[in-house]
Amino acid sequence: MMRTDCDRRFIAVDQGNSLLKLTLLVGDQPRESCRFPSDTPEDVFSVLERWQPECGAFCSVGKIDSRFVESLRIFLDGRLLILSRATRLPVGIDYSTPDTLGLDRIALSAGAAMLYMGSDIMVADAGTAVTLDLVDSSLTFRGGRITPGIRLRFESLHAHTSALPLVDSDGPVPVLGYSTDTAIRSGVVAGLADEITETFRRYKESYGCERLVLTGGDAGLLSGRIDTRIPADHVPDLMALGLLYIYKYNEI
């Protein structure tokens, strides 16, 4: 029996700076996901054998491993979209340097535009770097901000000072640090949440931004620290949804 769009199994492959994330969607619904170190992409095929996707899309923020992508294409019998600057998009791009715009930011914008049709959205992607992008109600990417992510902030404080320890995000994050570790953790984690909150307010004042969407590996850590007066959603699979929408727009 031929499958319909309602039950088609789609794989989204997101190769980031640190991790490679696989997400299985059935129809429009994310079902399962898993992560691997970005430098071991060959490990994904055992998961693909179990999930048995029928089509998919691939996005990378860096250099593409051509052998890995070709293996993906073969596995999917050619039904693989590789997101590139030549790909037809369901969103417009209003950016003065489109050739330097990260493909991940494009895919996330497509996901936000389709999920929140007709709204002005700020997309906060909290990964190795944090991007704070505006997608407007005309389905157009307008630009945004790029700032270091949580891990980079911890590492930078340790590497570029003589006495500060290397701290991670596990542990108390008080408003007022009562030790060096908690002061660093408060400055990094709570400080980034405050930065996201203030950026949203500025986008709202200047561009009418209506909603904040958080995604990325550190979004869960930050989402509970965003000012509760801001309409905010945590959408872990926003990248996968964006890749699905772009795939459908190009329908291979």
Side-chain angles (χ1 to χ4, degrees):
M1 182 174 65
M2 182 178 294
R3 290 183 183 273
T4 68
D5 280 351
C6 295
D7 60 4
R8 184 169 58 179
R9 300 173 73 83
F10 176 91
I11 185 76
V13 185
D14 169 22
Q15 188 157 22
N17 290 298
S18 305
L19 295 173
L20 187 151
K21 181 180 178 182
L22 297 182
T23 304
L24 175 69
L25 299 97
V26 179
D28 290 340
Q29 300 302 312
R31 292 293 178 85
E32 295 187 65
S33 65
C34 60
R35 290 175 169 84
F36 301 89
S38 280
D39 57 358
T40 59
E42 62 277 0
D43 293 343
V44 308
F45 289 97
S46 60
V47 176
L48 295 182
E49 288 289 349
R50 178 165 58 87
W51 287 353
Q52 288 297 304
E54 299 159 89
C55 53
F58 171 86
C59 174
S60 176
V61 299
K63 185 177 180 180
I64 293 177
D65 183 334
S66 58
R67 289 180 299 177
F68 171 63
V69 172
E70 183 58 25
S71 296
L72 273 178
R73 191 195 305 276
I74 292 169
F75 187 93
L76 295 170
D77 294 327
R79 295 184 294 271
L80 175 69
L81 181 145
I82 302 167
L83 184 60
S84 73
R85 305 197 189 285
T87 303
R88 293 174 60 247
L89 300 172
V91 293
I93 304 295
D94 181 12
Y95 201 63
S96 66
T97 57
D99 290 343
T100 66
L101 177 59
L103 297 174
D104 54 335
R105 296 170 74 188
I106 292 173
L108 290 169
S109 297
M114 297 301 108
L115 276 180
Y116 301 94
M117 188 79 70
S119 298
D120 296 296
I121 305 298
M122 182 178 119
V123 179
D125 179 26
T128 302
V130 176
T131 55
L132 307 173
D133 291 327
L134 177 66
V135 186
D136 71 18
S137 56
S138 70
L139 308 184
T140 301
F141 174 91
R142 296 287 304 279
R145 295 179 173 181
I146 303 175
T147 191
I150 285 177
R151 181 170 62 84
L152 285 179
R153 295 178 187 220
F154 282 132
E155 291 176 351
S156 179
L157 282 173
H158 174 62
H160 297 287
T161 62
S162 59
L164 292 179
L166 179 60
V167 178
D168 61 30
S169 57
D170 292 331
V173 186
V175 174
L176 185 71
Y178 49 80
S179 65
T180 300
D181 282 13
T182 57
I184 292 172
R185 196 175 294 116
S186 179
V188 169
V189 178
L192 179 55
D194 290 346
E195 182 180 339
I196 293 170
T197 296
E198 180 59 25
T199 300
F200 177 85
R201 287 177 176 153
R202 292 190 175 211
Y203 286 7
K204 181 178 181 180
E205 291 172 3
S206 299
Y207 304 103
C209 197
E210 301 166 72
R211 180 166 292 275
L212 168 63
V213 180
L214 291 140
T215 193
D218 288 324
L221 180 64
L222 295 165
S223 61
R225 301 183 182 281
I226 302 299
D227 189 324
T228 55
R229 292 169 292 184
I230 290 176
D233 296 326
H234 178 201
V235 185
D237 298 307
L238 187 64
M239 170 70 77
L241 291 167
L243 289 174
L244 174 62
Y245 295 143
I246 293 170
Y247 182 92
K248 286 184 171 183
Y249 191 73
N250 288 271
E251 198 61 58
I252 295 178

